[in-house]
Amino acid sequence: MKKLIAVTILFFACALVLLSAHLVYAAESKIHILFDNGVTKEMDAKQVKSQTQLAEWMQGDMIRVMSRYVKEGVTASLIENRQQFKAQANNYLLTVKITEYKPGSKAARIVVGYGAGGVTLKIHYELIGSGNKTIISQDDSVFSGREWINAARKLNQNMAKAIIEKLK
């Protein structure tokens, strides 16, 4: 009988530990994403169009990439300006700026291959938490012999992984 009581107490103690760990981990973190397409006055109309298209695609894709982490208590949404972000517990601002985009040559990619005509994409991103404290400030870049979508997706995945690791 004493063994049964001891096992029961041990079982409930383990259950409480697991439940409390789950409750702490289940606190939802909200990430508000603010994109800067990096368009400057020096760019011609074609550059502006392609970089704007890239930024718009990356925004939507970042939401899709972050949606994979809902089980880990992370949700993401886009905001249009910094004033929409309210610094508070479990509320984060992710700012992303495209610092360089060279679309390369599709013809060279098709005809030559081996990285010829590749896409270069560079970004700078920051994750800001409560008290406007910068948690992550990082540059990242990708060179791809494939389409720009592959480069953009890779950068979004890199950002998501870095954010999740930092929030654990």
Side-chain angles (χ1 to χ4, degrees):
M1 185 66 168
K2 288 182 182 180
K3 286 183 181 181
L4 179 63
I5 292 173
V7 169
T8 304
I9 290 172
L10 182 63
F11 172 77
F12 281 111
C14 289
L16 283 173
V17 168
L18 290 174
L19 181 61
S20 65
H22 175 71
L23 291 175
V24 168
Y25 193 67
E28 186 175 285
S29 296
K30 295 180 183 178
I31 300 180
H32 305 275
I33 304 169
L34 179 61
F35 258 83
D36 179 349
N37 62 17
V39 170
T40 63
K41 295 176 185 175
E42 294 80 30
M43 293 180 173
D44 63 35
K46 186 177 178 182
Q47 287 174 304
V48 169
K49 182 179 177 183
S50 64
Q51 198 149 319
T52 301
Q53 176 187 16
L54 168 69
E56 288 172 0
W57 188 88
M58 281 186 78
Q59 289 175 9
D61 185 61
M62 188 62 181
I63 297 296
R64 285 186 290 277
V65 169
M66 292 302 295
S67 70
R68 296 179 186 147
Y69 298 100
V70 169
K71 290 179 183 176
E72 296 184 37
V74 177
T75 60
S77 64
L78 294 173
I79 59 174
E80 293 180 18
N81 59 57
R82 196 174 178 120
Q83 290 72 31
Q84 291 177 290
F85 171 67
K86 304 288 185 244
Q88 55 189 338
N90 296 324
N91 223 18
Y92 300 92
L93 173 64
L94 174 64
T95 61
V96 183
K97 181 177 183 176
I98 298 171
T99 57
E100 184 180 338
Y101 173 52
K102 294 180 183 173
S105 168
K106 188 171 187 173
R109 284 194 296 273
I110 292 170
V111 175
V112 179
Y114 303 104
V119 175
T120 300
L121 180 56
K122 296 180 181 180
I123 62 169
H124 176 79
Y125 65 96
E126 294 183 350
L127 183 67
I128 300 164
S130 60
N132 288 319
K133 180 183 174 192
T134 301
I135 300 168
I136 299 173
S137 180
Q138 188 165 331
D139 293 312
D140 199 358
S141 63
V142 169
F143 176 82
S144 175
R146 298 172 72 189
E147 294 294 319
W148 61 267
I149 289 176
N150 297 54
R153 168 63 56 88
K154 182 64 177 170
L155 290 176
N156 281 346
Q157 290 171 339
N158 291 351
M159 279 189 287
K161 287 178 186 174
I163 290 165
I164 297 303
E165 283 299 313
K166 204 64 164 176
L167 295 182
K168 280 187 179 179

